[in-house]
Amino acid sequence: MTTDLQTRTATAVFTGIGVTAPNGLGTEAWWRATLAGESGIRPVSRFDASGYPARLAGEVPGFEAADHIPSRLLPATDHMTRLALTAAKEAVEDSGADPAELPPHSAGVVTAASAGGFEYGQRELQALWGKGGQYVSAYQSYAWFYAVNTGQISIRHGLKGPSGVLVTEQAGGLDAVAQARRQLRKGSKLIVTGGVDGAICPWGWTAQLAGGRMTSVEDPARAYLPFAAEASGHVAGEGGAILVLEDAEAARARGARVYGRLAGYAATFDPAPGRGGEPGLRRAAELALDEASLAPSAIDVVFADAAGVPELDRQEADALTALFGPRGVPVTAPKTMTGRLNAGAASLDLAAALLSVRDAVIPPTVNVTAPAEGYALDLVTEARRGPVRTALVLARGRGGFNAAAVVTADD
């Protein structure tokens, strides 16, 4: 019988990865493109963005929903949910787990979201305003909702255990994985987790532009340049990663292949506006390292949040310098090839961290030749080969959310 102490300290390991990203559909296609420095940032194609100040996006290439999603689900799902279902199917298959063979209610789903099915919602509201209520789909009642990815993944794979959704914008991909680990520590055996997001439609675009952090640069190679002197904001994107997180003992009992271990996690908040004080990112990293029982010197690479906004880049660079020392650790931001994916971003960075451990390589930060003067960062601008056993992933969400996660090789 499992004791309370054992459940509180159960080890969580990653056994499956599924990816839908702007520079690759599917995990291995995305990873090959990432290591090769191939960007998926291009002019917006999902709608006519010519009248908007931001005209670039990271869109998942070659995605035909009918090739991946049962036809009965097509009328009921937003584009974002279709991407999430595709990534989840790949992740579950990659894990080798069969949820039907697990004890009842021992497998669940925890995902992250930032906006829900914006594109679906826009279309149905246009029908309401332009034609009348009788033209609005009944599926609108849930297709727009923040928790829709969790629900649809749960139904498709028969995952009837603890489930939920985290809404902390860009930090959500880490927060969801941490919540998944909490469920494992309460006795669950397997949780499908992570985040896939996207709102590349006029309604979603307007909302993102209102945040004031999107770049208006139209050259894809010069638009999103975190830590560079020319940084002018970020490019928005769609996609992300779904991961299978399992209780280590249960995973090993079935002979699962393990990508790595979630060794540490922490979340903090920035001070309220006008109150002063240091942002909470460094504290989140320190707490995550403390939980992992690792000194900063043990970290082989940091996957940065990489806002692309000079003030926010400075805050992150200062936090990394304070924790690791000047140029004390390799820092990378492969999201320069995808754009910022809101709730999908941090889980995609987790996937990259796990594959960095697997393949002993750090992916590059493209288009940035060197950090700006005054940033004491060892920024990885070309794929760097060498052992990687520990990685720190950082993420920040609008509203003051900070999250940090440590993944390590599984011994």
Side-chain angles (χ1 to χ4, degrees), residues 273-324:
R275 294 189 61 180
E278 181 184 353
L281 186 63
R282 180 177 70 157
R283 183 61 175 157
E286 290 173 338
L287 291 170
L289 287 169
D290 184 63
E291 188 192 23
S293 299
L294 293 173
S297 59
I299 295 298
D300 295 316
V301 61
V302 174
F303 286 79
D305 174 71
V309 176
E311 178 186 359
L312 298 176
D313 286 349
R314 167 63 63 186
Q315 291 174 4
E316 185 168 23
D318 288 348
L320 291 172
T321 302
L323 186 57
F324 295 99

CSV table of all heavy atoms in Angstrom, one decimal, residues 273-324:
chain,number,residue,atom,x,y,z
A,273,PRO,N,2.3,46.3,-9.6
A,273,PRO,CA,2.7,47.5,-10.3
A,273,PRO,C,2.8,48.7,-9.3
A,273,PRO,O,1.9,48.9,-8.5
A,273,PRO,CB,1.7,47.8,-11.4
A,273,PRO,CG,1.1,46.4,-11.6
A,273,PRO,CD,1.2,45.7,-10.3
A,274,GLY,N,3.9,49.4,-9.4
A,274,GLY,CA,4.1,50.6,-8.5
A,274,GLY,C,4.7,50.4,-7.2
A,274,GLY,O,5.0,51.3,-6.4
A,275,ARG,N,4.9,49.1,-6.8
A,275,ARG,CA,5.4,48.8,-5.5
A,275,ARG,C,6.9,48.6,-5.5
A,275,ARG,O,7.5,48.5,-4.4
A,275,ARG,CB,4.7,47.5,-5.0
A,275,ARG,CG,3.2,47.7,-4.7
A,275,ARG,CD,2.6,46.5,-4.0
A,275,ARG,NE,3.2,46.3,-2.7
A,275,ARG,CZ,2.9,45.3,-1.8
A,275,ARG,NH1,2.0,44.4,-2.2
A,275,ARG,NH2,3.5,45.2,-0.7
A,276,GLY,N,7.5,48.5,-6.6
A,276,GLY,CA,9.0,48.3,-6.7
A,276,GLY,C,9.3,46.9,-6.3
A,276,GLY,O,8.5,46.0,-6.1
A,277,GLY,N,10.6,46.7,-6.2
A,277,GLY,CA,11.1,45.4,-5.8
A,277,GLY,C,11.6,44.6,-7.1
A,277,GLY,O,11.2,44.9,-8.2
A,278,GLU,N,12.3,43.5,-6.8
A,278,GLU,CA,12.8,42.7,-7.9
A,278,GLU,C,11.8,41.8,-8.5
A,278,GLU,O,11.0,41.2,-7.8
A,278,GLU,CB,14.0,41.8,-7.4
A,278,GLU,CG,14.6,40.9,-8.5
A,278,GLU,CD,15.7,40.0,-7.9
A,278,GLU,OE1,16.1,40.2,-6.7
A,278,GLU,OE2,16.2,39.2,-8.6
A,279,PRO,N,11.7,41.6,-9.8
A,279,PRO,CA,10.8,40.7,-10.4
A,279,PRO,C,11.1,39.3,-9.9
A,279,PRO,O,12.1,39.0,-9.4
A,279,PRO,CB,11.1,40.7,-11.9
A,279,PRO,CG,11.7,42.1,-12.1
A,279,PRO,CD,12.5,42.4,-10.9
A,280,GLY,N,10.1,38.4,-10.0
A,280,GLY,CA,10.1,37.1,-9.3
A,280,GLY,C,10.8,36.0,-10.1
A,280,GLY,O,10.9,34.9,-9.6
A,281,LEU,N,11.4,36.3,-11.2
A,281,LEU,CA,11.9,35.2,-12.1
A,281,LEU,C,13.1,34.5,-11.4
A,281,LEU,O,13.2,33.3,-11.4
A,281,LEU,CB,12.3,35.7,-13.4
A,281,LEU,CG,12.7,34.6,-14.4
A,281,LEU,CD1,11.6,33.7,-14.7
A,281,LEU,CD2,13.2,35.3,-15.7
A,282,ARG,N,14.0,35.3,-10.9
A,282,ARG,CA,15.2,34.7,-10.3
A,282,ARG,C,14.8,33.8,-9.1
A,282,ARG,O,15.3,32.7,-8.9
A,282,ARG,CB,16.2,35.7,-9.8
A,282,ARG,CG,17.5,35.1,-9.1
A,282,ARG,CD,18.5,36.1,-8.7
A,282,ARG,NE,18.1,37.0,-7.6
A,282,ARG,CZ,18.9,37.6,-6.8
A,282,ARG,NH1,20.2,37.5,-7.0
A,282,ARG,NH2,18.4,38.3,-5.8
A,283,ARG,N,13.9,34.3,-8.3
A,283,ARG,CA,13.4,33.5,-7.1
A,283,ARG,C,12.8,32.2,-7.6
A,283,ARG,O,13.0,31.1,-6.9
A,283,ARG,CB,12.4,34.3,-6.3
A,283,ARG,CG,11.9,33.6,-5.0
A,283,ARG,CD,13.1,33.4,-4.1
A,283,ARG,NE,12.6,32.8,-2.8
A,283,ARG,CZ,13.3,32.1,-2.0
A,283,ARG,NH1,14.6,31.9,-2.3
A,283,ARG,NH2,12.8,31.7,-0.9
A,284,ALA,N,12.0,32.2,-8.6
A,284,ALA,CA,11.5,31.0,-9.2
A,284,ALA,C,12.5,30.0,-9.5
A,284,ALA,O,12.5,28.8,-9.2
A,284,ALA,CB,10.6,31.3,-10.4
A,285,ALA,N,13.6,30.5,-10.2
A,285,ALA,CA,14.7,29.6,-10.6
A,285,ALA,C,15.4,29.0,-9.4
A,285,ALA,O,15.7,27.8,-9.3
A,285,ALA,CB,15.7,30.4,-11.5
A,286,GLU,N,15.6,29.9,-8.4
A,286,GLU,CA,16.3,29.4,-7.2
A,286,GLU,C,15.5,28.3,-6.5
A,286,GLU,O,16.1,27.3,-6.0
A,286,GLU,CB,16.5,30.6,-6.2
A,286,GLU,CG,17.6,31.6,-6.7
A,286,GLU,CD,17.6,32.8,-5.9
A,286,GLU,OE1,16.7,33.1,-5.2
A,286,GLU,OE2,18.7,33.5,-5.9
A,287,LEU,N,14.2,28.5,-6.4
A,287,LEU,CA,13.4,27.6,-5.7
A,287,LEU,C,13.3,26.2,-6.5
A,287,LEU,O,13.3,25.2,-5.9
A,287,LEU,CB,12.0,28.1,-5.5
A,287,LEU,CG,11.8,29.3,-4.5
A,287,LEU,CD1,10.5,29.9,-4.6
A,287,LEU,CD2,12.1,28.8,-3.1
A,288,ALA,N,13.2,26.3,-7.8
A,288,ALA,CA,13.2,25.1,-8.6
A,288,ALA,C,14.5,24.3,-8.4
A,288,ALA,O,14.5,23.1,-8.3
A,288,ALA,CB,13.0,25.4,-10.1
A,289,LEU,N,15.7,25.0,-8.4
A,289,LEU,CA,16.9,24.4,-8.2
A,289,LEU,C,17.0,23.8,-6.8
A,289,LEU,O,17.5,22.7,-6.6
A,289,LEU,CB,18.1,25.4,-8.4
A,289,LEU,CG,18.4,25.8,-9.8
A,289,LEU,CD1,19.3,27.0,-9.8
A,289,LEU,CD2,19.0,24.6,-10.6
A,290,ASP,N,16.5,24.5,-5.8
A,290,ASP,CA,16.5,24.0,-4.5
A,290,ASP,C,15.7,22.7,-4.3
A,290,ASP,O,16.1,21.7,-3.7
A,290,ASP,CB,15.9,25.0,-3.5
A,290,ASP,CG,16.0,24.6,-2.1
A,290,ASP,OD1,17.1,24.4,-1.6
A,290,ASP,OD2,14.9,24.5,-1.4
A,291,GLU,N,14.5,22.6,-5.0
A,291,GLU,CA,13.7,21.4,-4.9
A,291,GLU,C,14.5,20.3,-5.6
A,291,GLU,O,14.4,19.1,-5.2
A,291,GLU,CB,12.4,21.6,-5.6
A,291,GLU,CG,11.5,20.4,-5.3
A,291,GLU,CD,10.2,20.4,-6.2
A,291,GLU,OE1,10.2,21.0,-7.2
A,291,GLU,OE2,9.3,19.7,-5.8
A,292,ALA,N,15.2,20.6,-6.7
A,292,ALA,CA,15.9,19.5,-7.4
A,292,ALA,C,17.2,19.2,-6.7
A,292,ALA,O,17.9,18.2,-7.1
A,292,ALA,CB,16.3,20.0,-8.8
A,293,SER,N,17.6,19.9,-5.6
A,293,SER,CA,18.8,19.6,-4.8
A,293,SER,C,20.0,19.8,-5.7
A,293,SER,O,21.0,19.0,-5.7
A,293,SER,CB,18.8,18.2,-4.2
A,293,SER,OG,17.7,18.1,-3.3
A,294,LEU,N,20.0,20.8,-6.5
A,294,LEU,CA,21.1,21.1,-7.5
A,294,LEU,C,21.6,22.5,-7.2
A,294,LEU,O,20.8,23.5,-7.0
A,294,LEU,CB,20.6,21.0,-8.9
A,294,LEU,CG,20.2,19.6,-9.4
A,294,LEU,CD1,19.6,19.7,-10.8
A,294,LEU,CD2,21.4,18.7,-9.4
A,295,ALA,N,22.9,22.7,-7.3
A,295,ALA,CA,23.5,24.0,-7.3
A,295,ALA,C,23.4,24.6,-8.7
A,295,ALA,O,23.3,23.8,-9.7
A,295,ALA,CB,25.0,23.9,-6.9
A,296,PRO,N,23.5,25.9,-8.9
A,296,PRO,CA,23.5,26.5,-10.2
A,296,PRO,C,24.5,25.9,-11.1
A,296,PRO,O,24.3,25.8,-12.3
A,296,PRO,CB,23.7,28.0,-9.9
A,296,PRO,CG,23.1,28.2,-8.6
A,296,PRO,CD,23.4,26.9,-7.8
A,297,SER,N,25.7,25.6,-10.6
A,297,SER,CA,26.8,25.0,-11.4
A,297,SER,C,26.4,23.7,-12.0
A,297,SER,O,27.1,23.3,-13.0
A,297,SER,CB,28.0,24.9,-10.5
A,297,SER,OG,27.8,24.0,-9.4
A,298,ALA,N,25.4,23.0,-11.6
A,298,ALA,CA,25.0,21.7,-12.1
A,298,ALA,C,24.2,21.8,-13.4
A,298,ALA,O,23.9,20.9,-14.1
A,298,ALA,CB,24.3,20.9,-11.1
A,299,ILE,N,23.7,23.0,-13.7
A,299,ILE,CA,22.8,23.2,-14.8
A,299,ILE,C,23.6,23.3,-16.1
A,299,ILE,O,24.6,24.1,-16.2
A,299,ILE,CB,21.9,24.5,-14.7
A,299,ILE,CG1,21.0,24.3,-13.5
A,299,ILE,CG2,21.1,24.8,-15.9
A,299,ILE,CD1,20.0,23.2,-13.6
A,300,ASP,N,23.3,22.6,-17.1
A,300,ASP,CA,24.0,22.5,-18.4
A,300,ASP,C,23.5,23.5,-19.4
A,300,ASP,O,24.2,23.9,-20.3
A,300,ASP,CB,24.0,21.1,-19.0
A,300,ASP,CG,24.7,20.1,-18.1
A,300,ASP,OD1,25.8,20.4,-17.6
A,300,ASP,OD2,24.1,19.0,-17.9
A,301,VAL,N,22.2,23.9,-19.3
A,301,VAL,CA,21.6,24.9,-20.2
A,301,VAL,C,20.4,25.5,-19.6
A,301,VAL,O,19.7,24.8,-18.9
A,301,VAL,CB,21.3,24.2,-21.6
A,301,VAL,CG1,20.3,23.0,-21.4
A,301,VAL,CG2,20.8,25.2,-22.6
A,302,VAL,N,20.1,26.7,-20.0
A,302,VAL,CA,18.9,27.4,-19.6
A,302,VAL,C,18.1,27.7,-20.9
A,302,VAL,O,18.6,28.3,-21.8
A,302,VAL,CB,19.2,28.7,-18.9
A,302,VAL,CG1,17.9,29.5,-18.6
A,302,VAL,CG2,19.9,28.5,-17.5
A,303,PHE,N,16.8,27.3,-20.9
A,303,PHE,CA,15.9,27.7,-22.0
A,303,PHE,C,15.2,28.9,-21.5
A,303,PHE,O,14.4,28.9,-20.6
A,303,PHE,CB,15.0,26.5,-22.3
A,303,PHE,CG,15.6,25.4,-23.0
A,303,PHE,CD1,16.4,24.5,-22.4
A,303,PHE,CD2,15.4,25.3,-24.4
A,303,PHE,CE1,17.0,23.4,-23.1
A,303,PHE,CE2,16.0,24.3,-25.1
A,303,PHE,CZ,16.8,23.3,-24.4
A,304,ALA,N,15.5,30.0,-22.1
A,304,ALA,CA,15.1,31.3,-21.6
A,304,ALA,C,13.6,31.6,-22.0
A,304,ALA,O,13.2,31.2,-23.1
A,304,ALA,CB,16.0,32.4,-22.1
A,305,ASP,N,13.0,32.5,-21.2
A,305,ASP,CA,11.7,33.0,-21.6
A,305,ASP,C,11.8,33.9,-22.9
A,305,ASP,O,10.9,33.8,-23.7
A,305,ASP,CB,11.1,33.8,-20.5
A,305,ASP,CG,9.8,34.4,-20.8
A,305,ASP,OD1,8.8,33.7,-21.0
A,305,ASP,OD2,9.7,35.7,-21.0
A,306,ALA,N,12.8,34.7,-22.9
A,306,ALA,CA,13.1,35.4,-24.2
A,306,ALA,C,12.0,36.3,-24.7
A,306,ALA,O,11.5,36.1,-25.8
A,306,ALA,CB,13.6,34.5,-25.2
A,307,ALA,N,11.6,37.3,-23.9
A,307,ALA,CA,10.5,38.1,-24.3
A,307,ALA,C,10.7,38.9,-25.6
A,307,ALA,O,9.7,39.2,-26.3
A,307,ALA,CB,10.1,39.1,-23.2
A,308,GLY,N,11.9,39.3,-25.9
A,308,GLY,CA,12.1,40.2,-27.1
A,308,GLY,C,11.8,41.6,-26.8
A,308,GLY,O,11.9,42.4,-27.8
A,309,VAL,N,11.4,42.0,-25.6
A,309,VAL,CA,11.2,43.4,-25.2
A,309,VAL,C,12.3,43.8,-24.4
A,309,VAL,O,12.7,43.2,-23.4
A,309,VAL,CB,9.8,43.5,-24.4
A,309,VAL,CG1,9.6,44.9,-23.9
A,309,VAL,CG2,8.7,43.0,-25.3
A,310,PRO,N,13.0,44.9,-24.7
A,310,PRO,CA,14.3,45.3,-24.0
A,310,PRO,C,14.2,45.3,-22.5
A,310,PRO,O,15.1,44.7,-21.8
A,310,PRO,CB,14.6,46.6,-24.6
A,310,PRO,CG,14.1,46.6,-26.0
A,310,PRO,CD,12.8,45.8,-25.9
A,311,GLU,N,13.2,45.9,-22.0
A,311,GLU,CA,13.0,45.9,-20.5
A,311,GLU,C,12.9,44.5,-19.9
A,311,GLU,O,13.6,44.2,-18.9
A,311,GLU,CB,11.8,46.8,-20.1
A,311,GLU,CG,11.6,46.8,-18.6
A,311,GLU,CD,10.3,47.5,-18.2
A,311,GLU,OE1,9.6,48.0,-19.1
A,311,GLU,OE2,10.0,47.6,-17.0
A,312,LEU,N,12.1,43.7,-20.5
A,312,LEU,CA,11.9,42.3,-20.0
A,312,LEU,C,13.2,41.5,-20.2
A,312,LEU,O,13.5,40.6,-19.4
A,312,LEU,CB,10.7,41.7,-20.6
A,312,LEU,CG,9.4,42.4,-20.3
A,312,LEU,CD1,8.2,41.7,-21.1
A,312,LEU,CD2,9.1,42.4,-18.8
A,313,ASP,N,13.8,41.7,-21.4
A,313,ASP,CA,15.1,40.9,-21.6
A,313,ASP,C,16.1,41.3,-20.6
A,313,ASP,O,16.9,40.4,-20.1
A,313,ASP,CB,15.6,41.3,-23.0
A,313,ASP,CG,14.8,40.6,-24.1
A,313,ASP,OD1,14.0,39.7,-23.8
A,313,ASP,OD2,15.1,41.0,-25.3
A,314,ARG,N,16.2,42.6,-20.2
A,314,ARG,CA,17.2,43.0,-19.2
A,314,ARG,C,16.8,42.4,-17.9
A,314,ARG,O,17.8,41.9,-17.2
A,314,ARG,CB,17.1,44.5,-19.1
A,314,ARG,CG,17.8,45.1,-17.9
A,314,ARG,CD,19.3,44.8,-17.9
A,314,ARG,NE,19.9,45.5,-19.0
A,314,ARG,CZ,21.2,45.3,-19.4
A,314,ARG,NH1,22.0,44.5,-18.7
A,314,ARG,NH2,21.7,45.9,-20.4
A,315,GLN,N,15.6,42.3,-17.5
A,315,GLN,CA,15.2,41.6,-16.3
A,315,GLN,C,15.7,40.2,-16.2
A,315,GLN,O,16.2,39.7,-15.2
A,315,GLN,CB,13.7,41.7,-16.0
A,315,GLN,CG,13.2,43.1,-15.7
A,315,GLN,CD,11.7,43.2,-15.7
A,315,GLN,OE1,11.0,42.2,-15.7
A,315,GLN,NE2,11.2,44.4,-15.5
A,316,GLU,N,15.4,39.5,-17.3
A,316,GLU,CA,15.8,38.1,-17.4
A,316,GLU,C,17.3,37.9,-17.4
A,316,GLU,O,17.9,37.0,-16.7
A,316,GLU,CB,15.2,37.4,-18.6
A,316,GLU,CG,15.5,35.9,-18.6
A,316,GLU,CD,14.7,35.1,-19.7
A,316,GLU,OE1,14.2,35.7,-20.7
A,316,GLU,OE2,14.5,33.9,-19.5
A,317,ALA,N,18.0,38.7,-18.2
A,317,ALA,CA,19.5,38.6,-18.2
A,317,ALA,C,20.1,38.9,-16.8
A,317,ALA,O,21.0,38.2,-16.4
A,317,ALA,CB,20.0,39.6,-19.2
A,318,ASP,N,19.5,39.9,-16.1
A,318,ASP,CA,20.0,40.2,-14.8
A,318,ASP,C,19.8,39.0,-13.8
A,318,ASP,O,20.6,38.7,-13.0
A,318,ASP,CB,19.3,41.5,-14.2
A,318,ASP,CG,19.8,42.7,-14.9
A,318,ASP,OD1,20.8,42.7,-15.6
A,318,ASP,OD2,19.2,43.8,-14.7
A,319,ALA,N,18.6,38.4,-13.9
A,319,ALA,CA,18.3,37.3,-13.1
A,319,ALA,C,19.3,36.1,-13.3
A,319,ALA,O,19.8,35.5,-12.4
A,319,ALA,CB,16.9,36.8,-13.3
A,320,LEU,N,19.6,35.8,-14.6
A,320,LEU,CA,20.5,34.8,-14.9
A,320,LEU,C,21.9,35.1,-14.5
A,320,LEU,O,22.7,34.2,-14.0
A,320,LEU,CB,20.5,34.5,-16.4
A,320,LEU,CG,19.2,33.9,-17.0
A,320,LEU,CD1,19.2,33.9,-18.5
A,320,LEU,CD2,19.0,32.5,-16.4
A,321,THR,N,22.3,36.3,-14.6
A,321,THR,CA,23.7,36.7,-14.2
A,321,THR,C,23.8,36.6,-12.7
A,321,THR,O,24.8,36.2,-12.2
A,321,THR,CB,24.0,38.1,-14.7
A,321,THR,OG1,23.9,38.2,-16.1
A,321,THR,CG2,25.4,38.6,-14.3
A,322,ALA,N,22.8,37.1,-12.0
A,322,ALA,CA,22.8,37.0,-10.5
A,322,ALA,C,22.9,35.5,-10.0
A,322,ALA,O,23.5,35.2,-9.0
A,322,ALA,CB,21.6,37.7,-9.9
A,323,LEU,N,22.2,34.6,-10.7
A,323,LEU,CA,22.2,33.2,-10.3
A,323,LEU,C,23.4,32.4,-10.7
A,323,LEU,O,23.9,31.6,-10.0
A,323,LEU,CB,20.9,32.6,-10.9
A,323,LEU,CG,20.6,31.2,-10.4
A,323,LEU,CD1,20.5,31.1,-8.9
A,323,LEU,CD2,19.2,30.7,-11.0
A,324,PHE,N,23.9,32.7,-12.0
A,324,PHE,CA,24.9,31.8,-12.5
A,324,PHE,C,26.3,32.5,-12.7
A,324,PHE,O,27.3,31.9,-13.0
A,324,PHE,CB,24.5,31.3,-13.9
A,324,PHE,CG,23.3,30.4,-13.9
A,324,PHE,CD1,22.0,30.8,-14.2
A,324,PHE,CD2,23.5,29.0,-13.5
A,324,PHE,CE1,20.9,30.0,-14.1
A,324,PHE,CE2,22.4,28.2,-13.5
A,324,PHE,CZ,21.1,28.6,-13.8
